[in-house]
Amino acid sequence: MPISLLSHRIPEDIDLPSVTLTDRERTEVRALAEELHRCPAAGQVDDPRWLTQARRQSCRLPVRLLEALRDFRSAPGPGGYLLVGNLPVDAETLPDTPSVADSVERRATVAASTAMLLGQQLGDVFAFRNEKHGALVHNVVPVPALAASQSNGGSVELELHNENAFHPHRPDLIGLLCLRSDHEGTAGTLFSSIRRARVLLADSDVAILRRPRFVTEAPPSFRAGDATTAHCVLNGSFDDPDIQVDFSATRALDDAAGAALRRLGAALAEVASELVLRPGGMAFLDNRLVVHGRTEFTPRYDGSDRWLHRVYVHLDGRPSRSHRIGPGPVLA
Ligand SMILES: O=C(O)CCC(=O)C(=O)O
Ligand SMILES: [Fe+2]
């Protein structure tokens, strides 16, 4: 039986862009992931040789999954997300959920390899040197000292944001693979697409949001961040724009811009969906179209808390070359 990916909280009239693997397809993905464990780079995800191997191996994912990933890449749809269900994650063999800050997975476990296989098929998985030690596979887990923070280690409600909104080379896509749900099974990943919110906005607000009248703070970990360069919150097409905002870190530089930003927040909240990821479920979000957040939940810090693997994807690695430390996948 496929493991349920979703709660029922997404409105039923929305046609979910999703693919749930059959058990046979799940076994095929597991075999590819296990092969990566035996690869010459001793199963180290961040080793360039392993990465090359994972990219090649990703071409052998089940065809139905390849089709869904390829479609999502070119046509992210009005919602800007893709859900994949029944990926190989085995509750029985999982170690305890980590509970320390900046936790990452550098070993090519089946779950980490699976997240990397899907990410490497979509584009180039990369990381920031100043975040999570520059590792490619992040653990999103509740951390006691961060409980009240607006960070992935928190457990209070996390406000809607583009991932690394402040950064010129923020991810094009992010992937979140669930290894373990929270105890109550209620922690929801919130997400909202500017494509759905756009119709709720007055053109006069869009015009303001397309002007560089906003600044976005970098998280404290990004010491090199630049909160002084004003930027637009909406970019590109007037009718189908890209979005760059973090509702806990973006500030308007004048009153009119502040009012437009508040109305944008209200429009995004109105069309937001909530997804309770289940083990083996992975959500990909188009970070150019979608802001995401998370509902609050109650961690116990007992080794069986909620646990996601997160990967960042660039569809084209070339534009960020000047920010890269050498030719590898880590950005300064
Ligand atoms: O916990 C979640 O569902 C998402 C948290 C988040 O914003 C992230 O990991 O980037
Ligand atoms: Fe995030």
Side-chain angles (χ1 to χ4, degrees):
M1 268 288 287
I3 294 167
S4 150
L5 172 71
L6 290 166
S7 79
H8 53 275
R9 268 177 269 173
I10 290 184
E12 278 169 19
D13 58 327
I14 293 183
D15 185 19
L16 288 179
S18 68
V19 55
T20 300
L21 301 192
T22 62
D23 288 346
R24 185 192 176 132
E25 289 168 330
R26 172 185 162 110
T27 304
E28 287 169 18
V29 175
R30 182 198 306 280
L32 292 175
E34 283 174 353
E35 234 177 277
L36 281 170
H37 196 67
R38 297 188 289 270
C39 119
Q44 294 296 309
V45 169
D46 299 281
D47 185 305
R49 293 168 301 168
W50 189 92
L51 212 51
T52 302
Q53 198 59 32
R55 188 172 61 224
R56 292 186 183 152
Q57 198 92 316
S58 77
C59 301
R60 293 160 52 200
L61 287 167
V63 168
R64 247 166 29 96
L65 179 54
L66 289 173
E67 287 172 355
L69 294 170
R70 187 67 189 84
D71 280 348
F72 175 64
R73 188 189 151 114
S74 289
Y81 65 93
L82 172 69
L83 310 176
V84 184
N86 203 26
L87 288 163
V89 169
D90 298 312
E92 316 83 62
T93 56
L94 273 187
D96 280 1
T97 301
S99 60
V100 293
D102 293 333
S103 166
V104 299
E105 184 55 86
R106 291 190 184 273
R107 293 165 307 136
T109 60
V110 168
S113 298
T114 297
M116 289 297 293
L117 280 166
L118 272 61
Q120 285 288 84
Q121 177 56 216
L122 280 165
D124 293 312
V125 177
F126 75 99
F128 295 100
R129 179 180 58 190
N130 290 337
E131 187 184 36
K132 302 260 189 196
H133 310 291
L136 294 173
V137 176
H138 306 164
N139 288 326
V140 175
V141 292
V143 175
L146 298 176
S149 72
Q150 286 291 311
S151 81
N152 69 82
S155 37
V156 292
E157 175 159 344
L158 181 57
E159 293 202 51
L160 293 174
H161 60 280
N162 291 114
E163 197 62 22
N164 303 105
F166 74 98
H167 202 285
H169 298 296
R170 58 196 168 276
D172 295 318
L173 313 175
I174 72 166
L176 298 169
L177 170 63
C178 180
L179 279 65
R180 195 171 263 146
S181 305
D182 63 307
H183 292 89
E184 281 85 25
T186 58
T189 302
L190 301 165
F191 56 100
S192 183
S193 151
I194 184 60
R195 282 188 157 168
R196 290 200 201 282
R198 171 64 184 88
V199 293
L200 301 175
L201 295 173
D203 284 357
S204 52
D205 277 346
V206 174
I208 292 173
L209 293 163
R210 284 164 56 84
R211 305 296 305 158
R213 291 161 72 167
F214 308 87
V215 288
T216 296
E217 295 281 345
S221 54
F222 275 84
R223 282 168 298 277
D226 172 11
T228 57
T229 306
H231 67 85
C232 313
V233 159
L234 299 182
N235 285 293
S237 160
F238 190 84
D239 294 323
D240 182 12
D242 288 1
I243 185 167
Q244 179 186 357
V245 74
D246 179 333
F247 285 96
S248 74
T250 301
R251 194 164 47 80
L253 295 175
D254 59 81
D255 290 347
L261 188 62
R262 279 194 296 282
R263 286 190 285 269
L264 173 69
L268 287 163
E270 195 172 327
V271 297
S273 298
E274 185 184 326
L275 166 72
V276 178
L277 283 162
R278 305 286 179 210
M282 186 164 193
F284 281 99
L285 305 176
D286 189 321
N287 196 42
R288 300 161 305 176
L289 301 174
V290 173
V291 288
H292 65 280
R294 193 203 48 242
T295 62
E296 67 174 331
F297 67 104
T298 311
R300 296 187 194 163
Y301 310 117
D302 61 355
S304 50
D305 274 318
R306 182 171 187 261
W307 185 1
L308 311 180
H309 276 342
R310 180 177 67 185
V311 290
Y312 295 162
V313 177
H314 273 151
L315 296 178
D316 177 0
R318 192 66 195 158
S320 59
R321 179 62 185 91
S322 62
H323 276 70
R324 277 171 201 267
I325 303 162
V330 181
L331 270 63

